[in-house]
Amino acid sequence: MLKKRIIVCLDVKDGRTTKGVKFQNNLDIGDPVEMAKKYYEQGVDELVFYDIMASARGERPILDLISKVASQVFIPFCVGGGIGSMDDIRSTILAGAEKVSLNSQAVKNPDLISQGARVFGSQCIVLGMDAKRDDECPSGYRVYLNGGRVKTDLDALEWAKKAVSLGAGEIVLNSMDADGTKAGYEIPLTKMIAQSVAVPVIASGGGGTVGHMAEVLTKGCADAALIATMVHSGEYTIPSIKKELNELHIPVRL
């Protein structure tokens, strides 16, 4: 049975790790390099680093910070935010990232997914998607851009399928309704996308307890659970989470 992955997300703004609720009221919570090293040493399976302001500001990836983080961790490391061209993908991978997450830029230029997959392989190209409940969309969820600031005409399910057909090898699916709430993942959204695409789906937004993680990894059919507040707050450590999941008979790397 495939092991389920635990992934820690570092949302970065102006070079510092930050955390908000439903994409609002972000607070500075520390140095991303030190935090990445700490989670790596605790045994996290992967790390995701998002520059949450880059696309909105029209900025490119912060390569020096990416390479500092990469020098401290020896696990898969995914970087998102401001990656809008093949040059950006190349330079981010050369700075030490194993994967790049394309979110707003992929919606604006879907060819970036197919070009990136062709040159670097599908395993390097991750679709980042911010979705919010919306009854006007066929699936019940709408895609937003620029860190949740810009509403699109895209239906979440339709966009997920299209991105995978273009070559995305994985999807980080972030529920804007659940983000930072610690009230549990958006199970219907995660299950719908996970059952409709043939690539791994990482559930993001809402993780507050190990029970929430267990639920999204089983009922939500997610391949991995992305967490932030749970560990940033010091309430949980990676070993304590994995121990609890293992006791719940969820296969994880111990």
Side-chain angles (χ1 to χ4, degrees):
M1 194 172 181
L2 275 178
K3 299 268 200 282
K4 300 288 188 178
R5 290 172 288 151
I6 311 305
I7 302 174
V8 168
C9 179
L10 301 173
D11 283 333
V12 177
K13 179 182 178 185
D14 303 322
R16 300 283 294 174
T17 308
T18 181
K19 195 70 199 105
V21 176
K22 298 188 181 183
F23 288 46
Q24 305 286 320
N25 308 321
N26 286 75
L27 301 172
D28 181 327
I29 56 168
D31 173 44
V33 181
E34 287 172 11
M35 292 174 77
K37 184 172 189 267
K38 176 180 82 174
Y39 295 130
Y40 166 66
E41 288 171 348
Q42 283 187 10
V44 75
D45 297 312
E46 296 188 23
L47 276 170
V48 172
F49 172 110
Y50 284 134
D51 185 331
I52 61 168
M53 296 302 293
S55 287
R57 291 173 176 170
E59 294 170 352
R60 298 185 67 198
I62 324 168
L63 298 176
D64 59 334
L65 188 55
I66 293 164
S67 70
K68 282 177 188 164
V69 172
S71 72
Q72 299 297 322
V73 302
F74 303 93
I75 49 174
F77 171 43
C78 178
V79 172
I83 299 171
S85 68
M86 286 297 284
D87 277 348
D88 290 338
I89 295 176
R90 187 175 287 107
S91 56
T92 302
I93 290 171
L94 287 172
E98 275 78 20
K99 307 177 189 181
V100 295
S101 176
L102 305 176
N103 190 324
S104 303
Q105 303 297 338
V107 172
K108 293 169 190 169
N109 176 18
D111 285 347
L112 194 57
I113 299 174
S114 42
Q115 288 170 4
R118 195 165 59 245
V119 174
F120 299 102
S122 282
Q123 80 287 347
C124 284
I125 306 300
V126 177
L127 177 74
M129 190 195 323
D130 296 322
K132 192 174 185 180
R133 278 182 227 126
D134 190 327
D135 293 337
E136 290 178 12
C137 289
S139 71
Y141 295 89
R142 185 183 296 276
V143 175
Y144 281 71
L145 306 186
N146 292 2
R149 294 172 190 81
V150 178
K151 186 177 180 177
T152 73
D153 294 331
L154 286 176
D155 176 76
L157 179 58
E158 203 176 301
W159 175 228
K161 288 178 174 176
K162 183 179 178 186
V164 170
S165 75
L166 289 169
E170 194 165 71
I171 296 174
V172 173
L173 178 60
N174 192 40
S175 162
M176 290 175 61
D177 301 293
D179 181 75
T181 61
K182 295 173 72 180
Y185 295 86
E186 185 82 1
I187 303 296
L189 170 66
T190 310
K191 183 178 182 180
M192 174 179 66
I193 303 279
Q195 290 187 330
S196 303
V197 296
V199 301
V201 170
I202 298 162
S204 170
T209 67
V210 175
H212 293 154
M213 296 173 72
E215 186 183 27
V216 83
L217 292 169
T218 53
K219 290 182 189 167
C221 306
D223 296 87
L226 188 140
I227 53 174
T229 311
M230 278 177 71
V231 283
H232 297 340
S233 65
E235 199 177 337
Y236 289 92
T237 63
I238 302 301
S240 74
I241 290 168
K242 288 191 171 186
K243 180 173 180 284
E244 260 190 77
L245 286 173
N246 186 53
E247 285 165 359
L248 293 168
H249 308 294
I250 290 168
V252 288
R253 292 187 189 92
L254 293 171

